[in-house]
Amino acid sequence: MKILALTFSMLVFVFASCKTDSASEVFFDADGALTTKNITQNRDMTQYKQGGHFYCRTRSTRIFGNEKDKLEGEKKVRDFIWEHLIEKKRGYIRLSCPGTDTSNTTHYFIESNENGERNVARRNIFQASDNKITRNESFLNSFERVENKETGDWFLVSKSANGEIIERLPIY
């Protein structure tokens, strides 16, 4: 595999987890994404291109649709993020990984930070079978496009400063 690297700032913030409170009520939006009323954190969403809502392949295809459609959804999220990073455009897209006992939606905000460096603010909401809800937020600042010469396809990875993969799209 050949690696084409596009590195923005290597600073990656550690995940901050917290349980939701009544001010951050979690619900499913009209598209079926797990969200909160303040998911955008006061961002002016008219400034962001809307990429849509897609599903991942990590759960049963018998319940949540076919594998090919979910792989295509993961690729659309990957392509959208990469395109907006390269073109230095703002974008917003969601990826849900529902299961029989859990639900998870990741909200991606492609934008510049206060220093003008490109990053992806990733806000994740996870609901367990016991209705315990966890929210995580991280900022992804280092990206690589990894080419697979055998298939002609590629995947997008974000790494921490020490080289650990934080995110990969498509997921598998």
Side-chain angles (χ1 to χ4, degrees):
M1 288 186 196
K2 180 180 176 186
I3 297 177
L4 300 175
L6 174 64
T7 303
F8 299 97
S9 169
M10 289 304 290
L11 178 63
V12 177
F13 294 92
V14 178
F15 288 77
S17 298
C18 63
K19 294 178 187 173
T20 60
D21 56 17
S22 59
S24 300
E25 178 185 348
V26 174
F27 60 94
F28 289 96
D29 68 13
D31 292 332
L34 199 57
T35 192
T36 66
K37 290 181 182 178
N38 66 346
I39 196 71
T40 63
Q41 295 180 315
N42 299 320
R43 289 175 173 88
D44 178 0
M45 294 309 292
T46 63
Q47 301 295 312
Y48 290 73
K49 181 175 180 185
Q50 301 298 306
H53 177 227
F54 300 93
Y55 290 91
C56 70
R57 299 172 291 147
T58 61
R59 303 292 185 238
S60 170
T61 57
R62 181 176 51 83
I63 297 171
F64 295 105
N66 72 57
E67 191 82 8
K68 184 179 179 193
D69 287 347
K70 291 186 207 174
L71 175 59
E72 291 305 311
E74 289 176 25
K75 287 181 177 181
K76 287 178 183 178
V77 173
R78 171 204 67 190
D79 294 348
F80 183 87
I81 292 171
W82 184 250
E83 173 187 324
H84 284 74
L85 286 169
I86 295 300
E87 295 180 5
K88 298 182 179 180
K89 294 180 182 177
R90 291 182 184 182
Y92 170 64
I93 195 163
R94 297 162 292 160
L95 181 65
S96 290
C97 298
T100 54
D101 295 336
T102 62
S103 191
N104 177 46
T105 299
T106 304
H107 300 255
Y108 297 95
F109 299 89
I110 303 100
E111 55 199 10
S112 295
N113 64 20
E114 58 277 353
N115 297 325
E117 300 163 323
R118 300 301 294 165
N119 69 53
V120 177
R122 180 177 75 166
R123 301 197 72 208
N124 184 287
I125 303 171
F126 177 81
Q127 183 175 20
S129 58
D130 61 1
N131 286 329
K132 179 180 177 187
I133 295 170
T134 305
R135 295 185 314 157
N136 298 303
E137 181 169 6
S138 59
F139 295 89
L140 309 176
N141 301 97
S142 174
F143 301 90
E144 292 180 8
R145 178 179 166 145
V146 180
E147 306 282 347
N148 183 333
K149 288 184 178 181
E150 293 175 15
T151 65
D153 202 4
W154 61 280
F155 54 92
L156 180 64
V157 295
S158 177
K159 294 183 178 181
S160 66
N162 65 2
E164 179 182 338
I165 294 177
I166 298 170
E167 180 84 58
R168 178 186 169 175
L169 291 168
I171 294 172
Y172 293 109

